[in-house]
Amino acid sequence: MTLGEKLAKARKEKNITQEQLADNLGVSRQSISKWESDAAYPETDKLIRMSKLFDCSLDYLLKENVTEKAEKETPDKQGASVTRIFSLCNVLDYEYKSQRTLGGVPLVHINMGIGKTAKGIVAIGFKSCGVISIGLLSIGLLSLGLLALGVLGLGILGVGIFGFGAFALGLLSGGAISIGIISFGAISVGVMSCGAVSIGQFAVGALAKGHYFAFGDNATAMVALGATKADGTLYTHFTGIQNVFSGYETDTVLSILENNVPSALKWFMDMALSIAGVK
């Protein structure tokens, strides 16, 4: 008997339809039909799961000269480790794919197989790609994972238009180490940067290194406002703890920045001045 014939026979003995078996294995009914007609061959993880489902050995399924539905190999024959490995494979290779789709894409796809990718509106797996994506390597509009790429990326390494994580990269980013157009983090680099160590065109932080404007305990920039140390090429002011400006000093700061900051960066300038309490 061929593999396909054995699968069809075992399925019928269990009184399971092709649709039910397909749903159990996370594949299409057409895949089951191809397997049973020997037009295609199932993957190893699917064979392992069908061996458990049909209560038969892999030898019975794979070897044409084995025609009797033999019992599964016992630990005495193969060792207890084989059983444990097969059980682990079943857990790691778990897959579910919803029958409902949107634009041909499953609404939900869960694929825990190592090296395999879950693709769906909601995708969950070691590697995942979806509108809402969760995985070690995750790509999606809303992405969560060890490495997360998306419009909103949340992860150990978060990359996206909005990136958040231990390491964050994005137009708006926040993290322990953060790089972005607008960046917030312990170590922050961006056009508008705010953090303990802050580097950018406009920088606010304990140690602030800016091109146009810096505000913090130790500040360096064209206009530098520092509580302890300030080094400005055009204007320097020691703010102290109170950060109190006279009207004259505020006007001076604004005048210098207005005359030197490109118009494309004025929005970031206003944000930095607001955070610093100058404007």
Side-chain angles (χ1 to χ4, degrees):
M1 294 176 66
T2 66
L3 171 63
E5 291 171 337
K6 291 176 180 178
L7 291 179
K9 179 182 177 183
R11 176 180 60 77
K12 292 173 182 176
E13 287 176 351
K14 286 285 187 179
N15 196 27
I16 299 174
T17 66
Q18 287 187 339
E19 289 83 357
Q20 290 171 330
L21 180 57
D23 187 61
N24 184 283
L25 298 176
V27 299
S28 66
R29 187 199 63 76
Q30 288 77 10
S31 294
I32 303 298
S33 178
K34 288 180 180 179
W35 295 348
E36 293 185 354
S37 63
D38 293 308
Y41 195 83
E43 298 175 349
T44 302
D45 63 297
K46 301 298 189 295
L47 285 169
I48 293 173
R49 291 173 63 181
M50 286 189 287
S51 170
K52 291 188 64 177
L53 178 64
F54 297 142
D55 195 28
C56 63
S57 67
L58 287 174
D59 273 353
Y60 169 72
L61 292 177
L62 297 173
K63 297 180 181 179
E64 292 190 9
N65 62 339
V66 179
T67 57
E68 295 297 326
K69 192 175 180 181
E71 294 180 357
K72 295 180 184 178
E73 294 85 348
T74 64
D76 290 338
K77 292 180 180 179
Q78 298 297 330
S81 61
V82 174
T83 301
R84 289 195 294 268
I85 291 172
F86 278 7
S87 298
L88 180 60
C89 287
N90 286 333
V91 172
L92 294 180
D93 285 328
Y94 173 77
E95 182 177 13
Y96 168 79
K97 185 182 293 184
S98 66
Q99 297 300 312
R100 297 186 63 184
T101 62
L102 181 62
V105 178
L107 290 181
V108 178
H109 188 196
I110 302 172
N111 192 344
M112 302 307 295
I114 297 176
K116 297 180 181 179
T117 302
K119 297 180 180 179
I121 303 302
V122 177
I124 302 173
F126 283 92
K127 294 193 296 184
S128 59
C129 181
V131 177
I132 299 175
S133 179
I134 303 173
L136 295 182
L137 172 58
S138 177
I139 302 173
L141 293 180
L142 172 57
S143 179
L144 296 88
L146 184 66
L147 170 58
L149 311 175
V151 174
L152 174 57
L154 307 173
I156 301 299
L157 173 57
V159 181
I161 294 178
F162 303 98
F164 300 94
F167 301 93
L169 177 65
L171 296 182
L172 172 60
S173 64
I177 298 177
S178 178
I179 301 174
I181 303 300
I182 301 175
S183 178
F184 298 89
I187 299 176
S188 177
V189 179
V191 176
M192 169 58 227
S193 176
C194 185
V197 177
S198 180
I199 302 172
Q201 299 295 306
F202 307 92
V204 177
L207 175 59
K209 302 292 184 180
H211 179 73
Y212 295 106
F213 176 80
F215 173 84
D217 184 64
N218 187 323
T220 303
M222 179 186 294
V223 174
L225 312 178
T228 301
K229 180 180 178 180
D231 184 10
T233 55
L234 294 183
Y235 183 84
T236 298
H237 180 76
F238 291 97
T239 65
I241 297 176
Q242 300 300 320
N243 185 26
V244 176
F245 285 88
S246 68
Y248 169 77
E249 290 168 326
T250 299
D251 290 342
T252 301
V253 169
L254 295 178
S255 176
I256 293 173
L257 292 175
E258 288 289 347
N259 292 329
N260 288 278
V261 174
S263 58
L265 300 180
K266 291 293 177 64
W267 186 81
F268 299 102
M269 179 190 76
D270 291 339
M271 178 184 294
L273 292 175
S274 295
I275 293 174
V278 178
K279 190 175 181 179

